[in-house]
Structures are given as structure tokens and as C-alpha cells.
Amino acid sequence: MNRSLTVGERSSLLLVSLVACFPDCSSWADTVELNNNNFNQYLNADHPVKGDYQLTSNIDLSQFLWKPIGNASVPFSLTLNGNGHVISGLKVSTSTDNTTSGFFGSLQNSTIRQILLKEPKVTSTGFTSPAGALVGELKGSRIEEVVNYDGAVKTIGSLSHAGGVAGSVTDSIIHDSVNTGTVITTADASAGGIAGLAVQASSLSNNLNTGKIASRNLYASPAGGIVGALRNNSIANNNVNTGEVNVGFSQFSGGVAGEAQTAKVLHNLNTGKISSDYSRAYSRLVGSVSGSSGGIVGHACGQTLVSKNLNTGSISTKRWRTYAGGIAGDVINAPVVQNVNVGTVRTHGNQASAGGITGEAIGTSVQDNLNAGAVITKGVNGHVGGITGAAAHLASVYNNVNTGRVEAQQGAWSYVSPAAARVYRAGPIEHNLDTFTKYQWTSETFSGRNKGVVRLSKSALKSNLTGLNSTLWNAGNESQLPMLKGINIPYRELARISGNKFPTALSEFADPGGLSNATSFNPDVWNARDGYLPFLHVFSKSQALLAGIDCTQEGFDCSTDNDISQTPTSTQPLPPHSPGLSSQCPPPEGIPLLQTYDPENQHIYVVIKAEPSSESAPGGIILARYKGPELDQQFGLCGIVTYTTSSPHAKILSSYPSLSAKVIHKTTGSSLNIIATTKSGKTTLFEFPLTANQRYRLQFNVKLNPAAASENDDKKLITASNIDTVNSRLDILIQKDQTYVATFSPGEEKLSIRRFAADSGEMDSTFIIDDWIDFSSRSPDSPTTVRLMTTEDYLHAIIYNSDGQLSVFTYEDQVNVHRFDTRFKPAAVESMRLVFVGNKAYLAIENPDTEEGGRQVRMQEISLGLENYNRQKPSVALWSAESSAVISDWRTELIAGSAAVATTAVAVVLAINKFKRSGMKTRK
């Protein structure tokens, strides 16, 4: 049960006495080391102690209803170095006005660094109550190398800005930080992946956002991938956004900043989708506000400089009189210089303005930009320009290049131009190079179709600057189109992140020509391999996996633990095994995490998280092998092999919501391979080597690989769509001539079984079993599993749950002829599933009732009551869909589990075809 975090009376008295004796604690105190035991004695909302701190262990706050430290009237000050540790279980919910929300409420003159927040949940419902995962309000402070992983920050009140790291930022710096969580505002407040609002010369640099950012209000609610609103001489520099940004009404959305006023937006990269689903149907020209979406900035004004940015994400608006631009939705007195867009820009409403660089430009210059993305409007009376949809009130558009498609799908009713589509009292519109459109005479008063356009073929433009400034543009060779030199940093970052999926639209352009190793992310601080998102060095791969971070290719480039290696310790050979040796072999101690059956050798393997006090594997992993209910003494030391590394692999494995395993036999040796699956469906492969003659206690290498990224055909995923893994459990049983599919829906308590042809996967309409099963004794939400088995003329459906109830339903000619009920002692963790061998089932359990106080692991044997039906047919088990989303026979992985069996037909066909190629295996 959650409880409020308070400091005990003794601790309070101690702190009071310290303050009384030492009024200025900072003058004498050294850095205080914090761990999970003393953390709340120093950092808590009731009696926070100012000082210098560093974490020496991970912190778990899941037992507390956390109250933010510091508030707007009394900000807190400290220095905190997390040293790469994880803070998990943070949940904050505030409802009063003027209440800052986050791990910290309000900070001033503080420095926070190297902390990973795992799945923080922060909600604020009051007015003027900014919220962030780390801090609600930041003043005169610095944040660096902080990660919000998979968190959720939401505000509901007016002026309650929300950020993935910080809500409201004043005169502060946030750099080298990451957000992967969602950020949402529902009132007139800004939302950003790193900060909601940044003012007073604040700096946001070298940050990464992959989370979804959204605002859901009519007024004053901009949203940006990095910052919602950037104002008052603040800067957003060298940031990367890959997350989606969406505004639901009449507001501004941008890949970096939703709104920028008197600010600088430089050297940023956006690859995320930027959109406005609904915008207010009034024009800015009549005094109201229309929505604007841009690849980098939604709306820029007040001499904001938008320069040397790169966008590849798609931009779209839905309603009339909205603005969409590859770089900026609309700009007023804000120069847009030396930017590149290759993303597609679309508007759907009438009288909307779309441009490859800006949707609309007023009183400013748009110069030396490159657009290679398509610009399309689907509305009537739209303005569609290769560079800008509209230029008005002394706006100048010159020295730009457009190679993208420009199209008004409603034809003659729209303004179309490769440069500026609608021109109204504009400044110079000159020397804009275009390779897409053709000259077309027009009599429209404000049309810019041919104004300031230099049309030429791509071949003529290749290796020829055609009047462009050679200081700013790189001509490349005779086969390349010119490229801006100034976007080298985001260009290199894009190349690294994209790996072999680099945008084809850029392949025909010259290289920017700058340093090939230029980067937004300092290599001394970040990992940045090709094909991965950058991630911070300070967080070890073990910590990253423990936090549930996706470290596979196209995920994050997690650090490699240098200490994971095969380093045998000194060994002592064991005496030959003898029948009397069992008395000298105590059972293993720890918590069983997973078990699997090796039908080739008829062994059961159990993966055990060792007790911290275990002498053989303190905090490590134990692998025990059983033959039936007894330890196989021919394996390791009395049936046990210990895997020990200095990285907490047992803790990592126990943190995954889904585990499945298979023993793999190859000519080079055998191994136990474990697939660990995150909530998002990403998988990691753990390989535990099994030597031919493990008669010693050794340290073995534990390999960690991105299983989902493997090109090995044995590890590919087969996915069946329209699958409900929560409300249904599924098993597929493949035989020589036919395939059975069973689902059990716990909510309806309905068992359904269908039969499919093994060659084509076509369902047999004459075979239908639909039974309502009484499983009323199980606890609510108890994970339930169905398993199929055949013996001679009988089909058996075994249903069991995590409460220890098991029932066997035997069918003959689709008629239930027998039911057998029994109970077993359930496992402590959901990843432990029954292993079926013959007419028995086996489950390893921990037994805490030992004299020494430890937890011994013993194998229980469970009868299935099939003694009269024990002549089994050869069959192949594809998988059992227990509580896991991905259960493997290792040749086929199926994400499955629909209550309607017919929806699995596609999966069955795929499985059958896979088994035809790989050969059939017999389920024992």
C-alpha cells in the first residue's frame, strides 16, 4: 500500500539539532552519499536538507505517494550527482493551484546530473502549476545527463506548462538529456519533450526527445519536441527530436519548438511527425489565431533566428486557414536562413498555406534554404509554394532551391509557385532555383507562380551553383545537386541515426562538406553507433536494461558493460557421482524466474535468481537441471551451474514482464537462450552456454543480443495482427495432418477449439468446440493459460492459472467426456510456467520454510489425471500463449491470443509453412 513519505520523529529531531548547532551547513558538510536506505532522510518534502549529494545505489520510490521537494514560494537548492543510477516508482499527483510538480517542485541555484527516472508519473490539475518528471519549476539552475524513460507528464490547469524533464525553465541550462515519455497539456499551457516553457536566456542544447508531445486546448498551448515555448533570448541548439508532436486545436506545433519569440533555434534535427488535427477557423489577418505546424518551429516571431536546421518529418494541418511549413509553420519578423527540408508538407483545409520552408512569411527574410520535400494542399483556395505558401508585408524570399513536388489537388482555385505562392505587399522575391514546375501564365493579382523563379533541369543544376553563394553552398560533383554547408551537424546526426535507411530524397545531393564526425552529441558523453539512437555513456547497459530501455538496433545505443566476460575462477574437480551423493547436494536457493523443457534430452532447466547471501552466486544466476522432480547430478555441481558476472543479470531478467526460453543444440555446443520482452514488444536475447561436461563451479559468459534485430532465420518474428493478448489465452498444436487452435477467454470463461488443415491452414467447419468453463475459484485478474495435448483418440485442453488451480478437459469426437481438477503450489513470479512431460506437469517453486531462513528451490510434480488416456500421439507444439506476448518454439515466435479463433488463421498458415521448411518436432 502506498503511504505518504515523512521523516521519522527521531530524524526530525536530529535535523533540528544539526541546524541549531550549525546554521550554515554548507560551510562544513562534505558530499553526502545517498542510497535506498537513507535517501528520504535527506530529500523529502517535509524537511529537505540543502547540500551536496551523490547516489550510490538505485532508488525505489514505489512505496511512497511522493510529494515534490521545494515550492514556488520557497525553492529548494542542492547539488545532486546520480552517478548513472536509476530512480524508479516516482508517482506525483497535485491538485492545488500554484503548486509545482515533479520529483522536485521548484529548484533554484541547483545542479542535477546523471539520473535516470524510470517510468515517472506526474499529474498536475491546479492552475499555474507547471510539471516535469524531474522538476516543475527551474530557476538559475543546471540539468545535465538526465533521462525520463517511458514516463508520463500531464497538466490540466491554465498556465501549467509541462515538460518531459522540467515544466517551466527560467535563466537555466538543460543539456545532454533524454525524454522518451509522453507529455500532455489540456489547458492553455505549453508542452515540450524537455521543457514546457523556457525563458530569460535559458539554453536547451544537445538533448534528445523520442516521446509523444501533445496539447489539447484552443488558446496559448504550443507544443514542441524539445520545448513548447522558447522566449526572451533563450536558445534551442543541437537538439534531436524523433517523437510525434500534435496540437488538437488552433495552436502551434514544431519538431523543436512550438513557439519561438525573440529566441534562436539552430542546428537542430527533426524526424518526427508534426501535425494539427484541428485548428480554429479564423485567419490571423482578421485579428485571431490560426494553427501553424512546422518541422522545426510552429510559430516564430520577434526577431527569432531559425537557421541551419534539418527536417525529414512529415508536416500536416487539417482545417482551413492554417499554416504548414517544412521548417516553420509561419514566421513574423523572424529570419529563416540556411535550413533544409525533405519532409512532406500537407494542408487539408480551404485557404490554408503550405510551403517547403515556411507556410507563411511576414516582414522577414527567407533565404538560402533548400526544399526537397513534396508540398501538397487538398483544400480549395490554398497557397502552395516550394519555399513559402505566402509572403506578405515586406517579406523577402531569395536564393532558395526547390526540387520538391508542388501540387494543389483542387487545381485552378489555388495559388501555386516553386517560390512564394501568394505574394501580398512583399519585399524582394528573387533568384529562387526550381527543378520541378513549368512556366504557366496567370492573371491572378497576388499569384507568385512565376515571380523570382529560375527554372532549370536537375542536370543543369548539378555541379553548378547557378548564382548561389559558394560560401554557403557546396556544389558537389557533376552528379550531385548543391547542398547547404551549414546543416552539416544535423545532417551527420541523421546519417548516424538512419543507418542504412538514409532518406533517398537526400541521396542525389552533395555532402554538406563539413567534418565527417561532426555531431550534436559529445562522444565523451554519448554513445552514437550507426543505426542507433544516441544514449548517455554514464548509464551502463545493465542499468539501461534494468530500466526496460530498448537497446536493440534502431533503439538506443546503450553502453557495453566491460565486466561481462568469460573469466573462470579457480576450480576444484568434483569426486565421481555416486548414488549416495544426493545427501551432499542441497537444493539451490533463490527465486525461480523461468523454466523450460529440453525434449531432446528430456531435461527441465530452471533459471533461478540467487539469494544475495548465497555463497555460490551472490546476486547472480543459478541454472538447475532436473530429470523429473529430481536434480540431474550429471550436470554441473549436483545439478547446478552458477553464472556470475559483476553486472546484475538476475535482477535484469526479473525486471522483464515476459520471458521465454529454449535449449539450442548446435555442433559448436549447446546453450540456453532466453528471450526477454519489454512492454513495448522489443526483445533481448540472453545466451547461457551449456558445456558438454560442466563438472566444476565456474563463471560463464552471459551474452546479451538484440534478438528482434537478428538476421538469423531461427529467430525471426511472425506477427498476427488483431490479437488481444490481455483477454484471451491461446495454444496451437501442430500435428502431421491437422492443426488445433485453442483459446480461453478468462472474462467469459469460454474455451474454444478449432481444427485447421496442416497443409493449407484452412479451418475445418465441421470441428467446433465452444465450452463455458467454471473457473470461479480463481482470483480476479489471475493470469490463465490454456494448453493442448492429444492421446490416441482423445484431445485434452489443460487450463491453469497463477493461483494454482488446474483443470484437464478431455474430448472425444468434440464431446467433453472427462474433467480432472487439481491444485498445485503457484510460483512467485508470472514468468514461471508449467512444463508438461507425459501425463505429468512440473513447476519449480521456492520454499521459504527452512531452518536457515533461506529460500530453497524444489521441483513439484503434478499429475494430470491422464492415466487412462496415456497413449500419446506424436505432435508438434508451436507455443503456449500463457501470460507472455511472445512464446517461442524458437523457430517461430507468435504474438497472439484472440478470443475469436478464426482470426488466428493467418498465424496458423504462417506457422505451418514455417514448420514445413524447418521440419516437424514432436511434443513430448
Side-chain angles (χ1 to χ4, degrees):
M1 180 180 293
N2 289 333
R3 54 189 176 87
S4 296
L5 177 61
T6 58
V7 177
E9 184 178 349
R10 246 180 111 179
S11 300
S12 301
L13 291 174
L14 175 60
L15 294 177
V16 170
S17 65
L18 286 174
V19 172
C21 297
F22 302 97
D24 184 9
C25 296
S26 62
S27 64
W28 60 271
D30 294 327
T31 298
V32 178
E33 295 184 347
L34 300 179
N35 55 41
N36 211 39
N37 296 321
N38 67 351
F39 186 80
N40 65 326
Q41 296 177 17
Y42 292 91
L43 298 182
N44 62 85
D46 297 325
H47 304 287
V49 181
K50 295 182 180 180
D52 295 339
Y53 299 99
Q54 65 174 343
L55 299 185
T56 60
S57 70
N58 295 336
I59 306 298
D60 182 6
L61 302 178
S62 58
Q63 61 181 316
F64 302 117
L65 294 174
W66 188 260
K67 292 191 287 186
I69 302 172
N71 54 64
S73 58
V74 186
F76 186 59
S77 298
L78 83 165
T79 298
L80 175 59
N81 188 342
N83 289 321
H85 288 292
V86 177
I87 297 178
S88 59
L90 175 65
K91 293 183 180 180
V92 180
S93 180
T94 60
S95 58
T96 56
D97 296 344
N98 302 304
T99 302
T100 51
S101 297
F103 179 79
F104 296 101
S106 182
L107 289 177
Q108 188 168 16
N109 301 327
S110 298
T111 299
I112 311 291
R113 62 193 307 264
Q114 298 182 349
I115 292 175
L116 192 155
L117 298 168
K118 177 186 177 183
E119 300 178 2
K121 310 296 181 187
V122 179
T123 303
S124 168
T125 61
F127 293 150
T128 320
S129 300
L134 181 67
V135 58
E137 182 181 59
L138 189 70
K139 296 181 178 180
S141 297
R142 184 181 188 94
I143 294 174
E144 57 188 43
E145 298 177 73
V146 168
V147 177
N148 168 5
Y149 184 74
D150 203 21
V153 179
K154 182 177 181 179
T155 66
I156 297 175
S158 176
L159 299 178
S160 297
H161 309 294
V165 176
S168 177
V169 178
T170 302
D171 186 26
S172 296
I173 296 172
I174 303 179
H175 72 92
D176 293 310
S177 294
V178 179
N179 173 63
T180 73
T182 58
V183 180
I184 300 175
T185 60
T186 62
D188 52 329
S190 55
I194 300 299
L197 171 69
V199 297
Q200 301 289 332
S202 291
S203 175
L204 307 176
S205 61
N206 312 102
N207 301 294
L208 171 64
N209 174 67
T210 66
K212 181 175 181 179
I213 315 301
S215 67
R216 292 290 179 264
N217 193 261
L218 189 63
Y219 299 108
S221 52
I226 300 300
V227 58
L230 187 73
R231 300 171 183 162
N232 308 115
N233 299 309
S234 296
I235 184 172
N237 183 48
N238 285 324
N239 300 286
V240 173
N241 174 64
T242 67
E244 179 183 352
V245 182
N246 175 268
V247 291
F249 294 92
S250 61
Q251 283 305 297
F252 311 131
S253 58
V256 175
E259 175 190 356
Q261 180 178 352
T262 318
K264 292 181 179 179
V265 184
L266 311 172
H267 302 289
N268 300 285
L269 168 65
N270 174 63
T271 66
K273 176 184 176 182
I274 314 300
S275 61
S276 170
D277 285 343
Y278 178 81
S279 294
R280 185 66 178 264
Y282 298 100
S283 170
R284 179 178 296 101
L285 299 179
V286 295
S288 61
V289 178
S290 295
S292 298
S293 294
I296 301 299
V297 181
H299 168 70
C301 63
Q303 293 302 314
T304 291
L305 175 61
V306 183
S307 182
K308 301 177 181 177
N309 302 284
L310 172 60
N311 173 64
T312 66
S314 64
I315 318 298
S316 67
T317 63
K318 296 285 184 164
R319 298 293 174 173
W320 74 310
R321 291 186 177 176
T322 56
Y323 304 88
I327 298 299
D330 78 290
V331 291
I332 302 175
N333 297 320
V336 181
V337 182
Q338 299 180 54
N339 302 279
V340 173
N341 172 62
V342 294
T344 299
V345 181
R346 287 188 176 90
T347 58
H348 295 77
N350 298 340
Q351 299 182 28
S353 296
I357 301 301
T358 64
E360 181 182 69
I362 296 177
T364 190
S365 62
V366 180
Q367 67 182 80
D368 289 298
N369 299 282
L370 167 63
N371 174 58
V375 186
I376 304 167
T377 184
K378 295 185 176 181
V380 177
N381 234 0
H383 315 140
V384 193
I387 302 303
T388 184
H393 302 291
L394 302 180
S396 58
V397 181
Y398 58 93
N399 289 347
N400 301 285
V401 176
N402 174 64
T403 64
R405 176 164 61 103
V406 182
E407 180 182 359
Q409 296 185 345
Q410 294 297 327
W413 295 103
S414 296
Y415 295 95
V416 178
S417 171
R422 184 179 187 273
V423 179
Y424 178 75
R425 296 182 179 178
I429 311 293
E430 299 174 347
H431 196 253
N432 296 288
L433 308 184
D434 172 57
T435 65
F436 180 79
T437 67
K438 296 180 179 180
Y439 176 84
Q440 180 179 335
W441 182 84
T442 178
S443 62
E444 295 170 323
T445 303
F446 301 116
S447 174
R449 180 172 187 89
N450 304 308
K451 189 174 181 62
V453 178
V454 178
R455 293 183 172 90
L456 66 169
S457 66
K458 282 189 176 181
S459 59
L461 184 57
K462 289 178 179 179
S463 189
N464 185 359
L465 292 180
T466 318
L468 297 175
N469 188 337
S470 61
T471 303
L472 304 179
W473 294 82
N474 181 24
N477 58 39
E478 63 278 359
S479 65
Q480 296 174 325
L481 295 168
M483 173 58 71
L484 282 159
K485 297 178 180 179
I487 61 114
N488 188 55
I489 291 177
Y491 182 93
R492 302 299 175 195
E493 216 57 67
L494 175 65
R496 269 188 289 273
I497 292 172
S498 302
N500 58 5
K501 299 180 180 179
F502 192 71
T504 56
L506 286 175
S507 60
E508 59 183 338
F509 289 87
D511 187 276
L515 295 174
S516 61
N517 62 348
T519 177
S520 299
F521 302 106
N522 185 344
D524 293 332
V525 178
W526 296 80
N527 303 313
R529 284 182 294 168
D530 289 354
Y532 290 81
L533 291 169
F535 200 67
L536 295 159
H537 274 323
V538 69
F539 302 104
S540 68
K541 189 168 186 178
S542 299
Q543 290 284 52
L545 292 171
L546 185 61
I549 292 176
D550 174 17
C551 297
T552 64
Q553 195 163 18
E554 297 184 11
F556 291 97
D557 186 6
C558 305
S559 296
T560 300
D561 293 331
N562 296 325
D563 54 5
I564 303 179
S565 59
Q566 187 168 340
T567 53
T569 60
S570 59
T571 61
Q572 295 294 328
L574 297 175
H577 288 295
S578 64
L581 189 61
S582 59
S583 62
Q584 306 174 25
C585 295
E589 292 188 3
I591 302 173
L593 299 178
L594 177 69
Q595 63 181 26
T596 190
Y597 182 60
D598 176 16
E600 184 171 326
N601 297 305
Q602 299 183 350
H603 293 141
I604 301 172
Y605 288 89
V606 181
V607 179
I608 301 168
K609 178 182 177 182
E611 294 274 31
S613 58
S614 171
E615 295 180 0
S616 61
I621 295 177
I622 294 173
L623 184 62
R625 192 170 83 183
Y626 292 82
K627 288 184 74 73
E630 303 294 334
L631 283 166
D632 178 10
Q633 297 180 14
Q634 299 300 317
F635 176 73
L637 176 62
C638 296
I640 297 170
V641 170
T642 300
Y643 294 80
T644 305
T645 68
S646 57
S647 296
H649 290 95
K651 192 172 183 180
I652 292 171
L653 278 174
S654 63
S655 70
Y656 279 87
S658 172
L659 298 172
S660 58
K662 179 74 174 180
V663 177
I664 303 296
H665 299 289
K666 296 182 179 180
T667 56
T668 55
S670 301
S671 65
L672 174 68
N673 291 6
I674 299 176
I675 284 285
T677 309
T678 65
K679 290 186 295 185
S680 63
K682 291 286 187 176
T683 57
T684 297
L685 172 65
F686 293 76
E687 297 183 42
F688 294 82
L690 304 174
T691 64
N693 184 24
Q694 292 173 321
R695 303 297 300 279
Y696 307 92
R697 181 180 288 118
L698 297 174
Q699 280 187 299
F700 291 99
N701 181 34
V702 180
K703 300 178 182 178
L704 287 78
N705 294 314
S710 172
E711 296 182 358
N712 188 334
D713 189 58
D714 285 348
K715 302 183 181 71
K716 286 183 178 178
L717 295 176
I718 293 179
T719 303
S721 58
N722 299 322
I723 297 303
D724 179 5
T725 59
V726 176
N727 299 313
S728 177
R729 299 297 180 263
L730 180 147
D731 191 30
I732 299 177
L733 179 64
I734 298 179
Q735 296 183 318
K736 182 178 180 180
D737 300 321
Q738 53 200 10
T739 298
Y740 293 94
V741 178
T743 62
F744 178 68
S745 301
E748 301 178 9
E749 296 190 336
K750 180 181 178 181
L751 171 66
S752 297
I753 305 176
R754 301 291 187 270
R755 187 167 64 193
F756 296 82
D759 54 352
S760 65
E762 183 177 350
M763 189 169 69
D764 181 358
S765 59
T766 65
F767 187 95
I768 297 176
I769 295 177
D770 286 315
D771 275 356
W772 275 262
I773 305 301
D774 179 15
F775 233 53
S776 57
S777 64
R778 67 181 179 88
S779 302
D781 303 323
S782 173
T784 305
T785 300
V786 62
R787 173 85 177 200
L788 286 175
M789 182 182 297
T790 58
T791 58
E792 201 59 44
D793 297 323
Y794 301 97
L795 176 67
H796 310 279
I798 305 167
I799 300 176
Y800 65 95
N801 60 41
S802 61
D803 289 340
Q805 179 181 351
L806 183 146
S807 296
V808 182
F809 301 87
T810 299
Y811 292 88
E812 182 179 18
D813 296 329
Q814 306 178 51
V815 177
N816 183 202
V817 297
H818 180 69
R819 172 170 177 167
F820 174 80
D821 296 305
T822 188
R823 297 196 63 84
F824 60 91
K825 184 174 181 180
V829 296
E830 291 185 9
S831 56
M832 284 293 295
R833 309 177 189 101
L834 294 178
V835 164
F836 295 88
V837 183
N839 61 354
K840 299 258 194 317
Y842 296 89
L843 181 67
I845 56 171
E846 56 182 279
N847 180 12
D849 301 326
T850 60
E851 295 180 0
E852 295 81 6
R855 291 181 285 195
Q856 294 185 344
V857 177
R858 298 186 183 277
M859 182 67 72
Q860 62 176 320
E861 184 178 74
I862 307 157
S863 173
L864 300 179
L866 300 178
E867 290 78 6
N868 296 326
Y869 311 92
N870 60 2
R871 295 192 301 275
Q872 293 194 8
K873 288 183 178 181
S875 58
V876 176
L878 176 59
W879 62 281
S880 290
E882 299 153 356
S883 60
S884 171
V886 182
I887 309 296
S888 173
D889 86 319
W890 212 262
R891 286 199 171 273
T892 306
E893 304 234 3
L894 184 63
I895 302 172
S898 174
V901 179
T903 63
T904 65
V906 173
V908 173
V909 173
L910 291 172
I912 290 170
N913 291 336
K914 190 76 172 179
F915 272 85
K916 283 181 179 179
R917 294 194 299 271
S918 61
M920 305 287 277
K921 295 181 182 178
T922 301
R923 175 188 279 176
K924 300 293 183 181

